[in-house]
Amino acid sequence: MRRFLDGLYGAAGLLAGLCTIGVLVSVLAAILGRQLDLHIPGTDAYAGYFMAAAGFLALASTFKHGEHIRVTLLLNSLNPAGSRRLDIFALAVGSLLAAAFAFFSIKLTYDSWLFNDVSTSNDATPLWIPQTTMAAGTILFFVALVDELVRRSRGIAAATSQQTHE
């Protein structure tokens, strides 16, 4: 199960990286199109879709690599047992918030599909398509938080950015 989850987080991180390249390609296409007096419809919208997809798909991988911003001042001031309890509490609250975020992301995507909602820009993309990456990213982030909550509850130390880069 550990290898499967780590592979899932890694695959989402890889997709996020590819979406970042998609942002670059979209922006370059828009710039080159303007320079060559060639109108390429939707490049601005697709740059935005790729950027949102990159951000959401990277959530789980970034979290599992210990790269999310964390204020550890309070955690470091507590004894090890208190620090662990506070960490578990924070992960539990974070899991609940991520569950709500995932639920409403899925609902938004489903509603966009149900009502045939399309982009207001000239590309008229069905919005459920880019919203699917948001829903997938929030689901994976929820899974990563629950995964870490279970690990910390079992006494396994949290990943730090230095541990994952060694």
Side-chain angles (χ1 to χ4, degrees), residues 6-95:
D6 288 343
L8 194 59
Y9 306 142
L14 179 64
L15 282 174
L18 291 174
C19 287
T20 303
I21 294 170
V23 173
L24 173 69
V25 169
S26 297
V27 170
L28 285 177
I31 292 169
L32 289 173
R34 288 183 189 117
Q35 294 299 316
L36 299 173
D37 241 4
L38 177 67
H39 177 67
I40 305 172
T43 52
D44 294 338
Y46 280 97
Y49 300 151
F50 280 125
M51 187 178 300
F56 282 103
L57 290 172
L59 284 171
S61 177
T62 305
F63 174 73
K64 290 304 282 185
H65 283 91
E67 297 291 340
H68 278 209
I69 295 172
R70 238 182 126 166
V71 180
T72 57
L73 183 64
L74 183 58
L75 282 173
N76 291 339
S77 68
L78 297 172
N79 63 27
S83 177
R84 181 172 174 258
R85 281 193 296 271
L86 181 60
D87 198 25
I88 289 170
F89 174 76
L91 286 167
V93 171
S95 295

Side-chain angles (χ1 to χ4, degrees), residues 107-130:
K107 184 177 179 342
L108 175 69
T109 304
Y110 176 71
D111 287 347
S112 292
W113 174 78
L114 190 65
F115 299 119
N116 296 316
D117 200 8
V118 295
S119 169
T120 57
S121 64
N122 60 0
D123 65 309
T125 299
L127 286 177
W128 67 267
I129 296 171

Side-chain angles (χ1 to χ4, degrees), residues 56 59 63 68 88-106 134-135 137-146 149:
F56 282 103
L59 284 171
F63 174 73
H68 278 209
I88 289 170
F89 174 76
L91 286 167
V93 171
S95 295
L96 289 173
L97 292 171
F101 196 19
F103 173 80
F104 286 108
S105 295
I106 293 166
M134 178 181 68
T138 57
I139 291 167
L140 283 174
F141 186 50
F142 167 68
V143 169
L145 279 164
V146 171
L149 175 61

